[in-house]
Amino acid sequence: MKASIADYGVAVIFVLALCLGASAEQLSSRECENLGFTGLALCSDCNTLSEYVKDKELVSDCFKCCTEDSNDATTKITYSGAVLEVCMRKLVFYPEVVSFIEEEKDQFPSVKVQYVFNSPPKLIMLDDAGQQKETIRIDNWKREHILQFLREKVKSLAAD
């Protein structure tokens, strides 16, 4: 009987170890996007989130989608261009995005607007080869936040 209890204890510890290991795994950018995380959050942001939000699953998801803090590395990341993807039919629900497109978009020649059916507003960040590197949902961003983000993250085109 003692052997079976010991075996049970070992099994429980093994299962707990698997669960803890699984919680530390990273999710794909698509999974993070579907959860509402951009992939640009630092893990220290998740620590701050955990102080204010007591939803353990949400905090766990944050940690699965964050980037380790290291010498301010994420602020140095820049992109060659971006695609602002949005559904034309849903634009009425995003006046800040409409305002950006109508009044500010021309400041960013390397940012293109693409209308895709049923797409939430998002920025698809592009590398030098024009390949997608990051997708950032901007559903609730104000126009000023879109401007600030693009000024910091999109390289200005060099004058020829």
Side-chain angles (χ1 to χ4, degrees):
M1 181 88 169
K2 284 186 179 182
S4 64
I5 292 174
D7 291 339
Y8 175 75
V10 170
V12 168
I13 290 171
F14 180 72
V15 169
L16 284 173
L18 284 175
C19 290
L20 290 174
S23 68
E25 74 185 39
Q26 291 292 109
L27 296 177
S28 72
S29 60
R30 167 90 58 214
E31 291 169 318
C32 290
E33 180 183 332
N34 289 339
L35 291 169
F37 294 102
T38 66
L40 293 179
L42 297 175
C43 293
S44 59
D45 296 334
C46 298
N47 288 326
T48 303
L49 178 69
S50 69
E51 292 175 20
Y52 297 98
V53 177
K54 299 306 174 196
D55 183 336
K56 291 179 181 177
E57 185 177 353
L58 179 64
V59 172
S60 173
D61 289 343
C62 182
F63 278 109
K64 291 176 185 176
C65 295
C66 69
T67 302
E68 287 298 324
D69 306 44
S70 62
N71 298 332
D72 207 25
T74 56
T75 60
K76 296 175 186 170
I77 296 172
T78 58
Y79 301 95
S80 292
V83 175
L84 172 56
E85 185 178 286
V86 66
C87 176
M88 190 175 282
R89 292 181 178 189
K90 292 183 178 182
L91 269 175
V92 68
F93 300 112
Y94 304 105
E96 296 286 336
V97 174
V98 171
S99 174
F100 169 79
I101 292 170
E102 291 177 350
E103 300 172 24
E104 312 287 352
K105 194 262 172 229
D106 290 340
Q107 295 178 36
F108 304 96
S110 60
V111 175
K112 307 297 181 218
V113 178
Q114 183 175 3
Y115 298 101
V116 176
F117 179 72
N118 216 23
S119 176
K122 57 186 161 189
L123 286 168
I124 300 169
M125 308 310 291
L126 307 172
D127 64 9
D128 291 336
Q131 298 299 309
Q132 177 178 339
K133 296 307 288 179
E134 190 76 48
T135 300
I136 302 145
R137 295 267 305 252
I138 60 169
D139 306 54
N140 299 314
W141 287 23
K142 297 205 176 296
R143 180 173 75 178
E144 298 82 37
H145 298 143
I146 299 170
L147 282 167
Q148 178 183 0
F149 180 82
L150 290 175
R151 284 184 187 127
E152 292 175 5
K153 297 295 182 182
V154 176
K155 299 173 191 169
S156 58
L157 294 175
D160 290 329

